[in-house]
Amino acid sequence: MKAAISDRIINQKTQPVYIVLEAGPTHEGIESAKKLAEVAKGAGADAVKFQLLYADRLLADKTINFPYQYLKIEDQIEVFVPIEEPLYDILKRRELSKEEWVELSKYCNDLGITLFTTATYVDEVDFAIDQLELQSIKINSSDVNELGFIKYCASKNVNLQLDTGNADIWEIERAVIAAEEEGCDNIIIHHCPSGYPARVESIHLNMIPTLKSMFPKHGIAFSDHSPGWEMDIAAVALGADMVEKTITLDRTTKSCEHSFSLEPIDAKKFVESIREVEKAMGDSRRTIPKDLRKNRLKTRRSPYALKDVSEGSVIQEGDFELKRPGFGVTSDDFKFMIGKKLSKTVKAGSPLTKDVL
């Protein structure tokens, strides 16, 4: 696998899972963007992600409505309320000027957290790479069929992230091939269930091992749009090399994607949980530390003499009984010792050991 962002390899087998906290849809301008970058850094994430877009340029029809759910707390109970609003208004809230992008990039550099973004047009890609010096560009799931744009991004010699959303499997494969044809082998493919929030039955976590099987030399990521982080834990257990989760300063903000995002205190718990799962995953081979090997003898059994068995006596099964702790020979060894003579006396209540033969 050759997927890497800067000098960090994206491969769960050899590296910790790469954790991205997404702030593109939940900031409200440069100051809140900076605060969310601070949240990502404080949580222990590897990177913070934003979205480089301009609504007036992207949308030909500014009247299209977009459905999502926002969060209300009623009597300490979370209630998700359906709503629709113009997509133009939603995207307009996500805009940063180029000057603000430069400011945000410097701020993230000073914080010591990696910044990357989605981009929609080739000049945006050039700006992100040439002026902001970003080392990874993400392509929106809605652009998985824009092969010319994918090829252009692939030609820029940076890490390429492909969001897949509702794409058919053949569309994902075609997009990856298009990038590879431009000589790009530094690719991360995101399994990103749609919905705001995503419905449990539409998440299809089993797509993660499918994508890992189809694209063994590329990184496989999970972008989560569900409340909590149970799905991310499962994704890591299924082999995801990267997880991406949206963060917010307030989940009850009446705007798209806040409801299923993580507030600062939970963002930190999210990262900690992923790291704990990584430790628990352990090795594919069964390895037992020395201290545990020693301790397990306390609950295993060895043959103990039921009476004094004198030196020179022949070892007989009936003179011993298996008891805890297992500080003597094992039951398997005992079978081969039956019929052999003792070189010393074994006192009643003592374990049988190899040095008495």
Side-chain angles (χ1 to χ4, degrees), residues 246-276:
T246 310
I247 54 174
T248 179
L249 298 175
D250 182 2
R251 289 181 65 212
T252 62
T253 301
K254 195 174 179 180
S255 185
C256 185
E257 298 198 38
H258 287 270
S259 66
F260 54 81
S261 300
L262 300 177
E263 292 177 340
I265 189 170
D266 286 329
K268 186 174 179 62
K269 293 177 181 177
F270 169 78
V271 174
E272 291 172 348
S273 296
I274 297 295
R275 298 303 180 217
E276 286 295 311

Side-chain angles (χ1 to χ4, degrees), residues 179-213:
E180 290 175 336
E181 286 176 346
E182 289 298 315
C184 179
D185 57 7
N186 187 0
I187 302 171
I188 300 169
I189 303 158
H190 285 250
H191 174 53
C192 182
S194 296
Y196 300 93
R199 301 189 310 275
V200 172
E201 62 271 17
S202 71
I203 293 176
H204 300 297
L205 286 167
N206 280 324
M207 270 300 297
I208 292 170
T210 296
L211 291 172
K212 289 185 77 70
S213 176

Side-chain angles (χ1 to χ4, degrees), residues 325-342:
F327 293 155
V329 299
T330 66
S331 58
D332 288 336
D333 291 335
F334 183 47
K335 293 175 184 177
F336 292 101
M337 296 174 73
I338 293 171
K340 294 182 171 59
K341 288 184 179 181
L342 293 173

Side-chain angles (χ1 to χ4, degrees), residues 8-29:
R8 175 69 181 279
I9 302 297
I10 312 299
N11 183 349
Q12 191 194 126
K13 290 184 178 179
T14 61
Q15 299 290 329
V17 171
Y18 197 92
I19 299 177
V20 181
L21 293 180
E22 158 79 289
T26 53
H27 74 81
E28 297 176 340

